[in-house]
Amino acid sequence: MTAMAHEPTPTQEELLLESFLALKTPEGFKAELIEGEIVVSPAPDGEHEDYLSTVIRQVLRQSRTDMDSSGNKGLLMRSGGLCPKNHVIPDVTFAPRELRLFRGAPSWMPCAGVAMVVEVTSTRADVDRIAKRHCYARAGIPLYLLVDREQGTVTLHSDPSGEDFGDAHSTAFGKSLPLPPPFSFDLETSEFA
């Protein structure tokens, strides 16, 4: 009698990843896999997009380093052990233009070379405040800018180290927030107030 080869049983994490990658979202929605949870978000409201547009405009015009930006670019990063890989979509991703990171990149690209990601809070603000912050820190993304509409603040997280960022500077809407190199300018938030 010969033994029959059996395919290994997929783990719960593998099944979750497979389900996520096969997910079909309704038009205008985005799906992310964050810390072992599938998060589906509706299209952002106009206020969210206005805040985001303000940040993008300033970065592209005032940054000391010429930057490329990508809205809703999927980033693939390691997780804290809850899932094989996090699949996170920042509101905007900035990278030095000279790297041409976005040209030819797959739907889910690695984070190497990303200079800063930006999130504007919406329906699930704690995901942006906590879970995504941890994802970005573990991925080694140097800067994470969070525009928190509920709290009326803009926070720049920097110095990624392990599970979190080692430094954070916040300012209330209406004040400026210095952005370090490679940006090297003060982000004005007066339009947010």
Side-chain angles (χ1 to χ4, degrees), residues 89-102:
I89 304 172
D91 289 329
V92 69
T93 302
F94 291 103
R97 176 86 174 138
E98 66 187 19
L99 298 179
R100 304 274 190 191
L101 266 184
F102 306 121

Side-chain angles (χ1 to χ4, degrees), residues 43-192:
D45 61 33
E47 184 178 83
H48 176 281
E49 293 302 282
D50 186 60
Y51 287 136
L52 195 57
S53 177
T54 299
V55 171
I56 294 169
R57 234 182 7 263
Q58 287 185 54
V59 168
L60 295 181
R61 289 181 184 162
Q62 298 179 46
S63 177
R64 292 271 167 85
T65 301
D66 194 17
M67 289 286 163
D68 277 340
S69 67
S70 180
N72 295 309
K73 180 69 190 120
L75 298 178
L76 182 62
M77 55 195 75
R78 67 185 174 87
S79 73
L82 301 172
C83 182
K85 295 280 185 197
N86 283 309
H87 290 66
V88 182
I89 304 172
D91 289 329
V92 69
T93 302
F94 291 103
R97 176 86 174 138
E98 66 187 19
L99 298 179
R100 304 274 190 191
L101 266 184
F102 306 121
R103 179 177 285 176
S107 297
W108 297 101
M109 70 176 225
C111 299
V114 169
M116 181 170 71
V117 292
V118 179
E119 296 285 358
V120 177
T121 58
S122 50
T123 55
R124 294 183 65 185
D126 280 343
V127 170
D128 295 327
R129 291 182 192 128
I130 301 165
K132 283 190 172 185
R133 187 183 81 225
H134 291 185
C135 288
Y136 298 145
R138 275 195 303 275
I141 294 173
L143 301 170
Y144 170 38
L145 184 72
L146 175 64
V147 179
D148 194 318
R149 298 189 294 172
E150 291 174 8
Q151 295 181 357
T153 60
V154 180
T155 302
L156 181 67
H157 298 277
S158 61
D159 190 25
S161 178
E163 293 294 312
D164 209 346
F165 288 91
D167 201 12
H169 293 279
S170 293
T171 190
F173 286 177
K175 298 182 178 181
S176 63
L177 180 69
L179 297 182
F183 301 94
S184 303
F185 75 95
D186 290 350
L187 181 73
E188 293 300 327
T189 68
S190 56
E191 290 184 44
F192 301 163

